[in-house]
Amino acid sequence: ELPQGNGDYVLRRLKESPATSDIPVIVLTGRREASVERQMRNLGATEFFTKPFDWNRLRVAVDKHLDAKPKTTENPCELSV
C-alpha cells in the first residue's frame, strides 16, 4: 500500500526492466497473509518480512545479498556497507 501504487506493482516493474531485474528485492510489509508472500516471491522477491520484524534477521538478509554481488573497483567513491 504505497502512495503511488502497491508493492507488487513496484516489484513487477523492477523485475521487468533489464536495468533492475538482477537487483535483490527485500519486501517489508504489514500484510501477514501467506498469499501475499507467495505473490511477492512469484514476482521475484528475494526475501519477505512482515512487521514487526527482527532487525537482526533483516541485517543478515541485507548482508547476504550485498555479499552475493561481485565487488568492483570501477567506482572508487562507492561506499562499503
Side-chain angles (χ1 to χ4, degrees):
E1 323 273 333
L2 301 169
Q4 301 298 320
N6 290 333
D8 58 331
Y9 171 78
V10 174
L11 180 56
R12 186 176 294 112
R13 295 292 306 226
L14 286 169
K15 292 304 178 177
E16 286 174 351
S17 171
T20 57
S21 64
D22 291 335
I23 296 173
V25 176
I26 298 174
V27 173
L28 178 57
T29 181
R31 306 276 309 269
R32 295 184 163 272
E33 301 91 351
S35 62
V36 173
E37 181 174 1
R38 275 193 307 275
Q39 177 187 21
M40 292 299 180
R41 290 198 181 270
N42 286 339
L43 290 172
T46 310
E47 302 284 345
F48 185 90
F49 293 93
T50 57
K51 298 175 189 175
F53 60 94
D54 181 314
W55 282 100
N56 289 326
R57 287 186 57 222
L58 179 59
R59 172 70 189 251
V60 167
V62 169
D63 286 346
K64 177 173 84 172
H65 296 292
L66 286 177
D67 289 341
K69 293 295 179 187
K71 306 248 188 288
T72 64
T73 57
E74 293 174 15
N75 184 355
C77 296
E78 189 172 341
L79 296 176
S80 297
V81 177

